[in-house]
Amino acid sequence: MRPRPLLAITPWLLASLVISGCALAPVAEPEPVLSPDAFDARIERLERTIALRCDQTEDRLSRHDLRHVELMADVKDSNDLLRHLRGSIQRLEQRGDEPVIVMAECNETVDASLADKELVGRAEWIGLADIGTYLRARIDSGANTSSLSAKEITRFERDGEDWVRFKLGINEDDIVVDDVRNEWIEAPVERRVRIVQAAGSESRPVVSLLMTLGSIREPVEFTLNDRTHLNYPVLLGRRFLMDIALIDVAETYLHPRPEFPGGRPAAEAAQDEINDQDEEDR
């Protein structure tokens, strides 16, 4: 058989290539067109996503700001404590020339070693000479620092030192010298303490007030906070009791109520004690 001439094959080959090329060429699909409703739905989803991310960012910033405030309060508390310690060291240095009294060791019995301590009940009358009133107090060795009920506590500065102005936090049925019920009281801040509770933590100012209880007459540090929801406007903790008092939990009001101008006579205290309700509070 004779081979076909190249010119006779060429048209057939070209036609095959053209047909194959058309079959292999991709067909461009038209871009989908969004309907107005679909477009609005997509925009709404985008807006929700952006709003959610903004809320998350704002929440992180809020937590950061809260942590910053807490850290600043801790720094302030540390500075107050350091200032208090420096003042104590300075007072000790000023007393450097005074003779040091060393107590001799003894082998007396335990009963004799307790003879110089005042016996107090679980509730007692106290006097606050700096304020001019008596108040009912609960004795609680489970609490570290003593506490005084106060309201409208306002911080201010005097001669470069931190001070507070407050009123006694008392109810209508609390026994107190009437003239001091709504009087403003001012005192320097000795330090601040952080109180941790189930609802969170808070920083409270501490002031020193002269207090009397029976024969005891001592400056006592009180934290200031609102105790009007409790039965006793004053709580005496173990820092006050240490080395000077013992508690007889079976007794109450072992010592007479102090007297102040404008107040009731001590002889009438027994009638006020009849309605006293014991409680477990701090």
Side-chain angles (χ1 to χ4, degrees), residues 33-63:
V33 178
L34 293 177
S35 66
D37 293 339
F39 179 79
D40 292 341
R42 178 172 293 184
I43 292 298
E44 185 177 354
R45 287 196 300 272
L46 289 174
E47 290 177 346
R48 286 199 300 268
T49 301
I50 294 173
L52 178 60
R53 291 180 179 177
C54 289
D55 292 340
Q56 292 174 346
T57 301
E58 184 177 356
D59 182 60
R60 287 195 296 269
L61 290 176
S62 297
R63 291 198 300 269

Side-chain angles (χ1 to χ4, degrees), residues 29-237:
E29 296 182 0
E31 295 183 1
V33 178
L34 293 177
S35 66
D37 293 339
F39 179 79
D40 292 341
R42 178 172 293 184
I43 292 298
E44 185 177 354
R45 287 196 300 272
L46 289 174
E47 290 177 346
R48 286 199 300 268
T49 301
I50 294 173
L52 178 60
R53 291 180 179 177
C54 289
D55 292 340
Q56 292 174 346
T57 301
E58 184 177 356
D59 182 60
R60 287 195 296 269
L61 290 176
S62 297
R63 291 198 300 269
H64 176 77
D65 292 342
L66 179 60
R67 180 57 180 163
H68 177 72
V69 171
E70 292 178 348
L71 290 176
M72 292 300 295
D74 290 339
V75 171
K76 181 62 172 60
D77 292 346
S78 299
N79 290 337
D80 291 341
L81 180 59
L82 180 60
R83 179 171 55 84
H84 181 70
L85 292 175
R86 285 174 175 172
S88 299
I89 293 173
Q90 185 177 6
R91 288 192 294 270
L92 290 174
E93 291 176 347
Q94 292 174 352
R95 297 170 54 187
D97 296 335
E98 297 181 5
V100 178
I101 301 175
V102 180
M103 302 298 295
E105 296 184 0
C106 59
N107 295 320
E108 297 179 355
T109 63
V110 174
D111 291 340
S113 68
L114 302 179
D116 60 341
K117 292 181 173 58
E118 194 73 46
L119 185 65
V120 298
R122 65 180 183 272
E124 292 287 353
W125 291 104
I126 67 154
L128 296 176
D130 297 325
I131 300 176
T133 187
Y134 41 71
L135 289 169
R136 291 188 307 119
R138 173 178 170 79
I139 316 299
D140 187 355
S141 61
N144 183 30
T145 308
S146 301
S147 178
L148 174 65
S149 184
K151 61 183 181 180
E152 301 182 46
I153 303 172
T154 305
R155 174 184 169 185
F156 67 98
E157 188 174 298
R158 175 176 292 171
D159 297 331
E161 300 291 336
D162 287 337
W163 282 59
V164 286
R165 180 184 296 111
F166 61 95
K167 293 181 180 180
L168 289 177
I170 50 181
N171 299 310
E172 289 297 327
D173 55 349
D174 284 327
I175 310 301
V176 65
V177 175
D178 289 334
D179 291 343
V180 304
R181 279 187 176 272
N182 294 308
E183 288 293 319
W184 285 104
I185 304 163
E186 295 182 351
V189 176
E190 298 293 330
R191 57 193 177 91
R192 300 185 72 89
V193 296
R194 179 165 296 277
I195 306 298
V196 180
Q197 298 176 328
S201 63
E202 61 175 318
S203 178
R204 297 176 182 173
V206 178
V207 299
S208 179
L209 299 173
L210 181 62
M211 194 201 78
T212 60
L213 195 172
S215 62
I216 299 173
R217 185 180 178 87
E218 295 282 342
V220 177
E221 289 190 342
F222 293 94
T223 61
L224 299 180
N225 64 294
D226 191 349
R227 295 176 53 87
T228 52
H229 60 290
L230 302 172
N231 287 354
Y232 296 89
V234 176
L235 176 76
L236 294 180

